[in-house]
Amino acid sequence: MTETCQLMEQLPAIIDYPNGISVIDARYHRPGRAAIHLITEGDKAALVDTGTRFSVPGTMAALAHKQITPEQIDYIFLTHIHLDHAGGASEFMKWLPNARLVVHPRGASHMANPIKLIAGVMAVYGESEFRRIYGEIHPIAAERIIEAPDNTLVELNGRPLRLLDTPGHARHHYCIHDARSKSIFTGDTFGVSYREFDMDGLEFVFPTTSPVQFDPEAAHASIDRLMALHPEQAFLTHYGRIRNLSYHASQMHALIDAFVSIVQQAAEIQDRQPIITKALQDLLLERLAAHRCTLTRDAALSLLQTDIKLNAQGLEIWLEQTIRQSTQAAGSS
C-alpha cells in the first residue's frame, strides 16, 4: 500500500494515444510545458526527449505504471540537445541499461563530453540557477551513442522510425517520422502549442526562435519537408499531440516571417530587446484573440512570457549575426 501511494505521488500526467504512443509530462517548470514521448512496440519501447534529470523519477514511475521495465527501453531519441530536451539524458542512461542514445551528429560530442554545453548554459543562467533547473549532467559513454545523420532509419522492434535533419530552430535538430502512426515527433521544429490554448479542437501554434541558432530560411524548409510526408498528427515536446497540420504549417510560415519582420524593424534601435519583446507579445496576443482564446490577458501572458523572452533573445542574436555577415561580405567585395 505504501509503495503504491509513493508511486502515485511520483506519477506525472500520462496521455495514451493509438499505435503505442504516450505523452508523459516532464514536469519542466509547470505541468503541460514539456513532454517526454513514449513509443511502445511489442515488448520494446523508446523515449523521445528526456526533460531534465528532475524528469527521471516521474518518467520511471510512468514506465512502472505501464508495466514497462527499464530493460525494455531500447532507445532514447534526442530531437536536439537543448537542455529542456536533453538535460535528463545522462541520468536516464544510468537507469535504462539497454538504451542507446540517438542524437544528431552535431550534438553527439556534447553528450559524450558536456563541458562546453554546461558552460554555455551556465553563462546565461549562472551556476546556482543552472543547478536548480537542470541539476547534474554527466558524460555518456561514446559506445552507447548512435549518431543519426539525415535519413537515418532506426527500427524499434521492427517498427521503422526515420530521422530527418530539420534545422531552423537549431542546427543539431532532427525530427522522427513514424509511418506506422502517420506521425512526426517534431521537438521544436514545428513550434510550441500549449493545450490551455486549444479552442473547439483547434490548437494554437507559434514558432520558437530561442538562442542561438535560429535560421528562418531553414525553418521554412524544414516545415515544408515535414509536410511533404503528409502526416496526420505531430507530437511536440511543448506540448503533446496536435492535428490540423496543414493549417498550422501555414500559420507557422506566416509567424516566422512576422517574427523576422519585427526584429528587422528594430535593427537601428540600440536598446532593441524591450521593443522586440513588446512587439512579439502584442503579435501573439492579437493572434490569440483571432483564435477566440477565452483566457484572460494575464493568464495568456503567464503561459507565454518565458517563450516570448527566449524568442526575443534568439531573434536579436540572429539579427546581429546577419548584420555581421553583411558587413563582412561588403568588406570583402
Side-chain angles (χ1 to χ4, degrees):
M1 182 66 175
T2 302
E3 290 181 1
T4 300
C5 290
Q6 289 175 343
L7 177 62
M8 293 308 294
E9 287 175 3
Q10 290 185 322
L11 197 62
I14 305 169
I15 306 172
D16 294 323
Y17 292 100
N19 297 293
I21 298 172
S22 299
V23 176
I24 302 171
D25 197 303
R27 290 173 167 167
Y28 180 69
H29 293 315
R30 64 169 179 84
R33 176 125 198 266
I36 295 169
H37 291 100
L38 172 70
I39 307 173
T40 304
E41 183 65 26
D43 62 352
K44 299 294 184 181
L47 299 177
V48 180
D49 288 339
T50 68
T52 72
R53 70 171 291 130
F54 302 116
S55 307
V56 175
T59 304
M60 297 305 296
L63 294 177
H65 176 73
K66 297 177 76 64
Q67 299 184 321
I68 298 172
T69 69
E71 292 76 16
Q72 288 176 275
I73 304 295
D74 276 357
Y75 300 104
I76 296 173
F77 294 99
L78 299 182
T79 58
H80 59 301
I81 63 169
H82 290 166
L83 293 185
D84 52 331
H85 298 254
S90 64
E91 187 69 12
F92 270 114
M93 294 296 279
K94 294 178 184 178
W95 286 91
L96 306 175
N98 297 327
R100 286 173 290 173
L101 190 75
V102 186
V103 63
H104 192 285
R106 289 181 181 270
S109 64
H110 295 289
M111 292 292 99
N113 182 3
I115 291 175
K116 290 183 179 178
L117 181 63
I118 293 169
V121 180
M122 276 191 184
V124 175
Y125 289 100
E127 183 171 355
S128 61
E129 187 69 359
F130 175 91
R131 301 294 181 199
R132 185 186 70 81
I133 298 173
Y134 300 112
E136 297 290 333
I137 296 174
H138 300 286
I140 296 170
E143 60 269 20
R144 295 186 68 187
I145 297 175
I146 298 174
E147 294 191 22
D150 185 36
N151 219 31
T152 294
L153 183 66
V154 177
E155 292 205 358
L156 175 63
N157 206 20
R159 178 175 181 166
L161 302 170
R162 191 168 297 278
L163 280 53
L164 305 173
D165 186 27
T166 48
H169 174 76
R171 289 192 291 271
H172 46 79
H173 201 303
Y174 65 66
C175 292
I176 303 169
H177 180 225
D178 175 27
R180 172 80 55 83
S181 64
K182 298 181 180 179
S183 303
I184 45 175
F185 295 83
T186 62
D188 285 344
T189 295
F190 211 85
V192 170
S193 179
Y194 298 129
R195 302 283 60 78
E196 292 91 338
F197 292 135
D198 292 356
M199 293 297 300
D200 299 323
L202 182 63
E203 309 90 354
F204 179 74
V205 180
F206 61 95
T208 170
T209 61
S210 55
V212 291
Q213 295 179 349
F214 172 60
D215 179 339
E217 290 186 14
H220 283 305
S222 291
I223 292 167
D224 288 341
R225 186 179 189 190
L226 294 177
M227 290 305 298
L229 299 170
H230 306 293
E232 294 183 356
Q233 55 192 357
F235 289 90
L236 282 56
T237 302
H238 312 285
Y239 176 88
R241 186 178 78 162
I242 64 169
R243 309 189 82 173
N244 309 294
L245 297 189
S246 294
Y247 171 79
H248 292 314
S250 174
Q251 293 296 301
M252 281 285 290
H253 283 308
L255 280 170
I256 289 168
D257 288 342
F259 280 21
V260 168
S261 178
I262 283 171
V263 73
Q264 287 176 332
Q265 289 175 32
E268 301 302 321
I269 301 172
Q270 187 170 2
D271 185 18
R272 64 175 78 96
Q273 190 70 206
I275 305 297
I276 297 169
T277 301
K278 178 65 164 54
L280 290 177
Q281 174 182 298
D282 291 346
L283 173 63
L284 290 176
L285 288 174
E286 177 187 323
R287 292 300 181 101
L288 278 171
H291 182 62
R292 301 185 185 278
C293 176
T294 58
L295 295 179
T296 66
R297 173 188 171 90
D298 286 348
L301 287 177
S302 166
L303 295 169
L304 292 172
Q305 60 183 354
T306 300
D307 292 292
I308 290 172
K309 179 181 178 181
L310 289 171
N311 282 354
Q313 291 171 349
L315 286 166
E316 186 170 24
I317 289 170
W318 170 79
L319 176 66
E320 290 170 350
Q321 291 171 341
T322 302
I323 292 171
R324 187 163 54 250
Q325 289 167 0
S326 298
T327 301
Q328 290 172 347
S332 62
S333 62

